[in-house]
Amino acid sequence: MSRARRSNDWGFPRWRGYGSASDAAPVRMCDRAGCHEKGDCPAPKSPNSPDRWYFCQQHAAEYNSGWDYFAGLTAEEAAAREQRETSDNAGYKEAAHYGWAGSGDGSRSRDEMKALEVLGLDPDADFEAVKKAWRAKAKEVHPDVKPGDAAAAEQFRKLQVSYEVLRAAEERREWKG
């Protein structure tokens, strides 16, 4: 007669042991030749095609880098499309990394790009160049230099807001490391 053995059921209702479902989970690999990363980013093989490539994040970014969402549209049509698509999710804040405008490497937000434009700087300008441009332009239109000039006061306000946007962005970059 055999001895009673300990049961592999842990708890109620009688579940099987914890090791019974330890089969390997299938992982889809990146479709880029030679890449051995996990391919979890679907990308269409061609426009309006249900077939998809599955790339790792690096190769998906490379695949999508030359794709222009607004290709073939006039400026008015592009603005209308952007407004229509952002009106649906008006209650949610758009994540910074999903911004449609920005520097070529995606490190600057739309607000930062507008601020750099107001200061007359390139998208890749560093913060020292921002401070230098802000000081030079602010000295020209400061209300103490041009008292009673409404246009100069408005320009000074725009310069101040632009500088604050860029200063806050620089502080975020320094904080993130």
Side-chain angles (χ1 to χ4, degrees), residues 94-175:
E94 184 179 12
H97 60 275
Y98 285 124
W100 284 343
S103 61
D105 61 354
S107 63
R108 294 205 185 262
S109 69
R110 177 183 294 175
D111 292 335
E112 291 175 67
M113 294 301 290
K114 286 181 183 177
L116 288 168
E117 188 177 312
V118 168
L119 292 171
L121 295 172
D122 292 330
D124 59 348
D126 63 344
F127 193 65
E128 290 303 318
V130 168
K131 284 197 283 191
K132 189 174 181 181
W134 173 73
R135 285 184 182 133
K137 289 184 181 272
K139 284 180 183 178
E140 295 172 3
V141 294
H142 195 278
D144 290 344
V145 175
K146 295 187 176 184
D149 188 359
E154 178 64 22
Q155 182 64 23
F156 183 75
R157 188 191 61 78
K158 287 181 183 178
L159 291 170
Q160 285 295 103
V161 170
S162 298
Y163 180 75
E164 289 299 317
V165 165
L166 293 168
R167 187 181 57 79
E170 182 66 17
E171 287 176 358
R172 279 193 304 273
R173 272 189 209 88
E174 289 175 0
W175 182 76

